Amino acid sequence: MNNRRTFIKKSGLFLAAASIPSYGFLLPKGNRKLGVALVGLGNYSSTQLAPAMLKTKHCELRGIVTGSPEKIPVWQKKYGIKDSNIYNYENMDSIANNPEIDVIYIVLPTGLHAQYAIKAANTGKHVWCEKPMARTAEECRQIIQACDQNNVKLSIGYRMQHEDNTQTIMKWAKTKPFGTIKYLKAEAGYYGNPMNPWKLKKKMGGGAMYDMGVYPLNAARYSTGLEPIAVSATHTTNRPELFTEVDETTIFQLEFPEGIVANCKTSFGESLNNLEINCRNGWYYLRPFQSYSGVKGKASDGTVLKPFGKNQQAVQMDDDAMAIINDTPVLVPGTDGLKDIVILEKIYESAATGGKRISLI
């Protein structure tokens, strides 16, 4: 136990010579369970993804990648993970030789997504990557290229697109039951005190826009079914002594074809959780729209969108697992994550000019 890191490193090297069959793939196709390895054992992995995996039908937590040896015994006791399925960041390449692992899920600070998603793709395992996809559009393209070259599927962890009420909003963008969309409002934020240290670091992909801003950004896109043609944005802060490198609050406006305007806001200094769509003949909303549970809403005709009632992360992982098992397209591919980061970079560019309108076409 005292030399846990050395042990784990050796176990990874030992695994390279192993030839244990993947029991998941010996099951009938409909009952197949994919072995998932979580990369990064922070708050989201420990409080959301790992517990949710116990509720899935097609996934099983079989491996972990961590730089914190002291976490290993806790995770092994709780989830029964084998010594041979434990890795650190230096030897995770050897997952390539482990047939028990089918998927590598990147759950690290945004600034590390590209480095480890590419490393994961190069093992030949399928890649799930948390949102936002990466810090830059170029990094997103590198991840997509690595997955394509290794012929593995890539899915981005936009859990909301797997949620029932959100999918109703996405459907209405196409069917237009209340007429054409005129404008919408999308807001997501929380009051961070204290703040997670890495979320205050620009190099790590910190800032409200990266962490929470992708929710209203992605929502504006899926609520309209369109891509924005222009953006303008501004940053504000009430705690400049804390937010020295990144944005505390970002207010941005997206212009879409057909004259649709989306007014959006994200913040580390204010509780925000609202999606409103206004149409020619009515309106509808989700409030809250991006919470882990209890997403609900209403429409102007009296329609009530009741809470989903299922674990969002479990549904997300099962959906992505079935895409692998059946070799069908994933719901949220890398190209969707890339589109958000292309727009996000322009949001920062506009904010740096004090709100200048920037064309996206």
Side-chain angles (χ1 to χ4, degrees):
M1 293 293 290
N2 292 335
N3 200 8
R4 193 82 187 183
R5 187 179 293 274
T6 301
F7 167 75
I8 298 303
K9 191 167 186 178
K10 288 182 178 178
S11 73
L13 295 173
F14 169 78
L15 186 60
S19 57
I20 303 171
S22 175
Y23 50 85
F25 282 96
L26 296 179
L27 294 173
K29 185 174 182 180
N31 297 322
R32 185 180 302 172
K33 282 200 171 187
L34 302 185
V36 179
L38 292 175
V39 181
L41 305 182
N43 181 67
Y44 193 62
S45 283
S46 60
T47 65
Q48 300 299 326
L49 292 177
M53 213 156 331
L54 298 176
K55 300 178 181 180
T56 61
K57 296 178 181 179
H58 305 290
C59 305
E60 186 171 271
L61 178 58
R62 294 191 195 146
I64 54 176
V65 179
T66 180
S68 304
E70 70 278 5
K71 295 182 180 180
I72 294 169
V74 178
W75 280 71
Q76 286 192 299
K77 182 178 180 180
K78 193 168 186 177
Y79 297 104
I81 299 169
K82 300 177 182 178
D83 285 345
S84 57
N85 289 353
I86 297 172
Y87 301 83
N88 57 45
Y89 297 115
E90 289 72 39
N91 70 15
M92 69 172 279
D93 307 80
S94 57
I95 294 178
N97 303 296
N98 187 343
E100 292 194 348
I101 306 298
D102 305 296
V103 178
I104 299 177
Y105 197 155
I106 308 301
V107 200
L108 294 165
T110 305
L112 299 174
H113 282 186
Q115 178 183 352
Y116 289 97
I118 291 169
K119 184 177 283 193
N122 288 336
T123 68
K125 307 298 183 179
H126 300 287
V127 180
W128 296 346
C129 182
E130 256 314 302
K131 66 82 196 162
M133 186 174 173
R135 276 194 69 227
T136 69
E138 179 55 32
E139 287 181 344
C140 293
R141 295 184 185 99
Q142 291 172 4
I143 295 172
I144 293 170
Q145 182 180 35
C147 290
D148 287 345
Q149 289 176 342
N150 287 282
N151 195 31
V152 298
K153 289 188 182 294
L154 168 64
S155 183
I156 311 304
Y158 281 98
R159 59 187 167 83
M160 300 319 306
Q161 293 197 39
H162 298 262
E163 191 271 335
D164 266 5
N165 289 329
T166 304
Q167 290 190 341
T168 295
I169 297 294
M170 295 167 71
K171 180 181 72 175
W172 286 352
K174 298 178 181 178
T175 61
K176 297 180 173 57
F178 300 93
T180 56
I181 296 173
K182 304 302 292 181
Y183 63 94
L184 64 92
K185 179 191 289 186
E187 303 172 315
Y190 62 89
Y191 181 71
N193 185 25
M195 284 297 303
N196 185 318
W198 76 259
K199 293 184 180 182
L200 296 172
K201 301 295 183 182
K202 183 176 181 180
K203 185 177 180 181
M204 296 301 287
M209 190 63 221
Y210 275 102
D211 185 46
M212 297 300 290
V214 290
Y215 285 114
L217 171 54
N218 199 250
R221 293 178 51 237
Y222 64 62
S223 296
T224 60
L226 301 169
E227 296 301 327
I229 57 176
V231 62
S232 56
T234 56
H235 295 321
T236 64
T237 181
N238 291 320
R239 293 175 287 175
E241 73 285 354
L242 187 61
F243 292 90
T244 59
E245 296 185 20
V246 299
D247 54 308
E248 180 181 16
T249 298
T250 298
I251 300 169
F252 59 102
Q253 185 178 84
L254 301 172
E255 299 173 29
F256 288 88
E258 303 172 14
I260 301 170
V261 173
N263 292 308
C264 306
K265 184 177 183 180
T266 186
S267 182
F268 281 154
E270 186 179 352
S271 180
L272 303 165
N273 204 334
N274 182 45
L275 174 62
E276 303 174 8
I277 296 94
N278 294 274
C279 307
R280 184 175 297 279
N281 302 318
W283 49 262
Y284 45 94
Y285 66 79
L286 291 179
R287 195 180 301 132
F289 94 91
Q290 52 80 28
S291 296
Y292 291 151
S293 62
V295 172
K296 60 184 179 180
K298 190 175 181 180
S300 56
D301 66 351
T303 298
V304 175
L305 301 173
K306 297 180 180 180
F308 189 25
K310 298 179 182 178
N311 183 287
Q312 294 171 9
Q313 288 85 355
V315 172
Q316 170 199 321
M317 289 186 284
D318 266 343
D319 285 349
D320 289 340
M322 287 305 295
I324 293 170
I325 292 168
N326 295 324
D327 193 19
T328 55
V330 300
L331 182 59
V332 190
T335 50
D336 199 29
L338 167 62
K339 288 175 182 177
D340 274 353
I341 302 304
V342 168
I343 300 165
L344 186 148
E345 288 185 323
K346 296 300 182 181
I347 287 172
Y348 276 107
E349 184 179 329
S350 173
T353 69
K356 178 182 177 181
R357 180 184 185 273
I358 295 178
S359 175
L360 297 173
I361 55 175

